[in-house]
Amino acid sequence: HDSKKNDQLIEEMAQTDGMQAVESTVLASKKADSSGYGAAQQLGRSASCASKLPQESDDLCPDENEHYPFLDITRIACVSLVAIDHGASKFGSWDVLFSQSWVLQYLFLVCGVCYGMSKKPLGEYLLRLAVYAVVGIAINWSAWLLMGKNWRENFFNVIFHIWFIFGLMIYSVVLYPVRGYLLRTRRERDERRLRESQGDPEGALQPETELETGNEETRDHHDIQRDDLLRSLVAIGGGILAIMIIFHVALRPLFHILGQFVLKLAGLFGVGTSFWGLPQNQEDATAFVEQISDYTMTTASNIYLIYVCPLVVKRSELTAWAVFINTYTHRLLFYRGSDERPWHGLDLMMLALVTYFLGLLHRRTLGKYLARYWFVVLLACALIWPPGTFGRLDEQPPTDLRLRIESNSVEAIFILIWLAAGERLVQKEIFTEDKLAFMNDWALIVFLIHKAVHIMVPQPINWGILLAFIPLCYLRRHYL
């Protein structure tokens, strides 16, 4: 899928009111109109086609005329907890509110959905992200200079949380062809289902798979189903197996060559790289390249599932389930070190992107019960999580199999809650009646400055400074 064809598709996508997806992904504010928190238009779907489809669907953010406040609330809540963790790390170490299992993860999910909504060309998208990155680094660097800290030997930690934005830039490039493919797949699916709903016999006879099925009219219905199932299992399972063989046999030697380059690169950014699992010596470099080979294998298999599942299964909504199961099967069963976090961010952004475009099978039903029995879900998480556990298991993943399964199971539950029931857990009146849209502005400011404030200002004054921006943002939004 060449870049020019993707640009033409993206240009056809409708435009949101307020900030574009880039600003959403970097925790920026969305502009509200004078009448309140106005409606925003969904992107990436033919308006004429979507409006005629049945209203009940398992799509994430399906209504093109509806604004989804849960995206903003998720962003505001996550930025608030990130600022707290960077100023008082014990909250994260004690996993208050299960924060290790959802804060950073939800930010990547929001990024994935907003990237799917965006109509901006890739170059403009990356430029806006780069502007935020430059501003954030300048603020952090100024704090290090003013406090007389040795920034030359530890520039990795000068950048600190702004690495999140650089990660988004890389993910956006990697997922650009995937987004174009998902856009085309959804449009074809919507047009096919529209024909079926209108009683078009040709549309109704078209399966959701484009693979050749032979002369099915002369075969028994159960034989057809069995053959379709077998073909799907072979295409999916065989492809995943082939990817595993390629990475473990053919590509691993190439990763070892990259080990020397990564070791030199880590040395340029100082000792702060060790916190994120980057190698500090030759032995570390060897183990590092073997691990990133496994991480990349998981991501490659997710991309394979996104391209293949819509072709070999009758319900494209199963694609998101396949990516979800593949991602967390690897996380549950195989050790993934602290250096894995960038790959996990890409996997989560990819999961949100495919869920936005193709939906999640039985999402409405699952979301209804997750919202209705939220207290049961939280009780289950409390029982799964080992009592008294202290430490950042998200930053230093456990080698013990049982603890790894327990911690990642809680994360998987929270990911499913957001994908299936996110919009059910947030009321739009937060913006339409309470007029709290200005909190989006505050979230952007806090995201950019909170680390510098924590470096320069002692507690508890640092918290007062961050909170002082709330009334300032309110005044700017309503009176300036």
Side-chain angles (χ1 to χ4, degrees):
H1 309 288
D2 57 42
S3 174
K4 187 174 182 180
K5 188 173 182 180
N6 278 338
D7 281 338
Q8 291 174 347
L9 284 168
I10 300 305
E11 286 297 330
E12 296 173 3
M13 297 164 71
Q15 187 175 10
T16 51
D17 285 342
M19 292 193 71
Q20 297 299 323
V22 180
E23 297 176 50
S24 297
T25 58
V26 294
L27 322 171
S29 61
K30 288 186 175 179
K31 304 273 183 187
D33 59 21
S34 58
S35 61
Y37 197 68
Q41 194 175 33
Q42 280 294 305
L43 305 182
R45 168 171 292 176
S46 171
S48 59
C49 178
S51 63
K52 296 177 183 178
L53 287 172
Q55 293 301 311
E56 297 295 329
S57 73
D58 290 318
D59 289 356
L60 179 64
C61 306
D63 190 343
E64 64 181 14
N65 295 315
E66 183 72 18
H67 194 90
Y68 293 92
F70 81 101
L71 297 175
D72 293 332
I73 294 298
T74 300
R75 183 172 56 252
I76 294 168
C78 291
V79 169
S80 301
L81 293 183
V82 166
I84 291 174
D85 178 67
H86 290 166
S89 60
K90 285 188 177 180
F91 285 98
S93 297
W94 284 110
D95 198 30
V96 176
L97 300 176
F98 296 109
S99 56
Q100 295 182 28
S101 301
W102 62 271
V103 173
L104 188 60
Q105 294 86 333
Y106 278 12
L107 285 176
F108 285 120
L109 293 180
V110 172
C111 292
V113 173
C114 292
Y115 186 48
M117 291 178 173
S118 175
K119 65 154 289 184
K120 285 184 175 295
L122 182 61
E124 187 176 346
Y125 196 101
L126 296 176
L127 178 60
R128 191 185 296 267
L129 282 171
V131 170
Y132 283 110
V134 170
V135 172
I137 293 174
I139 294 173
N140 285 351
W141 198 358
S142 299
W144 279 65
L145 290 172
L146 291 174
M147 299 304 294
K149 299 172 71 70
N150 185 9
W151 59 270
R152 290 182 177 85
E153 296 182 5
N154 200 7
F155 200 72
F156 192 90
N157 277 338
V158 173
I159 300 175
F160 201 66
H161 63 292
I162 305 301
W163 283 113
F164 176 83
I165 301 179
F166 287 114
L168 295 185
M169 296 174 70
I170 297 173
Y171 301 161
S172 300
V173 174
V174 172
L175 296 178
Y176 184 72
V178 176
R179 184 177 65 161
Y181 171 76
L182 289 172
L183 173 59
R184 290 189 295 272
T185 301
R186 184 171 74 173
R187 284 182 173 175
E188 293 170 359
R189 182 198 67 181
D190 287 351
E191 291 170 359
R192 182 166 49 245
R193 292 180 178 177
L194 178 59
R195 291 194 299 268
E196 293 174 0
S197 66
Q198 293 175 342
D200 183 352
E202 294 184 2
L205 289 176
Q206 275 192 323
E208 285 209 24
T209 173
E210 297 178 3
L211 297 181
E212 187 65 38
T213 59
N215 188 15
E216 297 182 352
E217 295 81 2
T218 62
R219 290 188 290 163
D220 182 78
H221 177 68
H222 293 292
D223 291 338
I224 295 174
Q225 287 186 324
R226 182 193 60 200
D227 292 347
D228 288 344
L229 177 61
L230 181 61
R231 183 166 49 249
S232 300
L233 292 176
V234 170
I236 295 174
I240 296 296
L241 180 61
I243 290 173
M244 294 176 65
I245 294 174
I246 290 172
F247 272 88
H248 282 280
V249 177
L251 296 182
R252 180 154 291 188
L254 297 178
F255 279 99
H256 280 281
I257 296 176
L258 293 175
Q260 297 298 323
F261 171 76
V262 175
L263 183 60
K264 293 180 180 179
L265 185 64
L268 293 176
F269 285 97
V271 296
T273 57
S274 62
F275 176 80
W276 298 99
L278 293 180
Q280 305 298 306
N281 53 55
Q282 184 59 49
E283 183 179 355
D284 291 344
T286 301
F288 176 81
V289 295
E290 291 180 354
Q291 289 176 343
I292 65 172
S293 174
D294 292 335
Y295 309 155
T296 309
M297 179 185 69
T298 302
T299 300
S301 60
N302 281 335
I303 295 176
Y304 174 81
L305 290 171
I306 290 175
Y307 276 92
V308 171
C309 283
L311 300 177
V312 300
V313 298
K314 292 185 176 180
R315 297 295 300 272
S316 58
E317 293 89 342
L318 284 168
T319 306
W321 280 114
V323 174
F324 175 82
I325 293 172
N326 183 62
T327 298
Y328 281 95
T329 297
H330 282 86
R331 293 187 67 78
L332 290 171
L333 299 182
F334 305 106
Y335 173 75
R336 302 169 76 86
S338 57
D339 51 1
E340 181 264 352
R341 299 179 79 185
W343 280 264
H344 190 40
L346 176 58
D347 290 333
L348 289 175
M349 189 168 171
M350 197 185 317
L351 174 61
L353 191 67
V354 69
T355 305
Y356 167 72
F357 278 112
L358 301 183
L360 185 72
L361 189 63
H362 302 308
R363 177 180 177 274
R364 288 183 296 109
T365 302
L366 180 60
K368 177 178 68 175
Y369 288 108
L370 284 173
R372 182 178 299 173
Y373 295 102
W374 59 269
F375 50 92
V376 177
V377 176
L378 291 182
L379 176 61
C381 291
L383 294 175
I384 293 173
W385 187 260
T389 301
F390 180 83
R392 292 297 300 267
L393 301 186
D394 57 333
E395 295 176 351
Q396 302 295 330
T399 56
D400 178 71
L401 177 61
R402 178 177 176 178
L403 184 57
R404 183 166 67 248
I405 292 176
E406 290 171 335
S407 60
N408 283 290
S409 294
V410 174
E411 178 181 319
I413 291 173
F414 274 95
I415 296 300
L416 202 55
I417 290 172
W418 195 89
L419 292 176
E423 74 278 14
R424 297 174 184 265
L425 304 178
V426 174
Q427 296 184 6
K428 63 181 180 180
E429 288 77 12
I430 292 176
F431 297 107
T432 57
E433 294 183 7
D434 302 335
K435 309 297 183 183
L436 293 183
F438 67 90
M439 290 298 294
N440 283 299
D441 304 331
W442 178 80
L444 172 60
I445 294 173
V446 168
F447 175 74
L448 293 174
I449 73 168
H450 74 271
K451 185 59 180 178
V453 172
H454 291 324
I455 291 174
M456 295 187 296
V457 183
Q459 297 189 21
I461 303 175
N462 56 335
W463 305 112
I465 292 176
L466 296 179
L467 292 176
F469 280 94
I470 294 179
L472 295 178
C473 291
Y474 174 84
L475 293 173
R476 173 196 171 276
R477 181 65 71 98
H478 292 280
Y479 296 102
L480 298 180

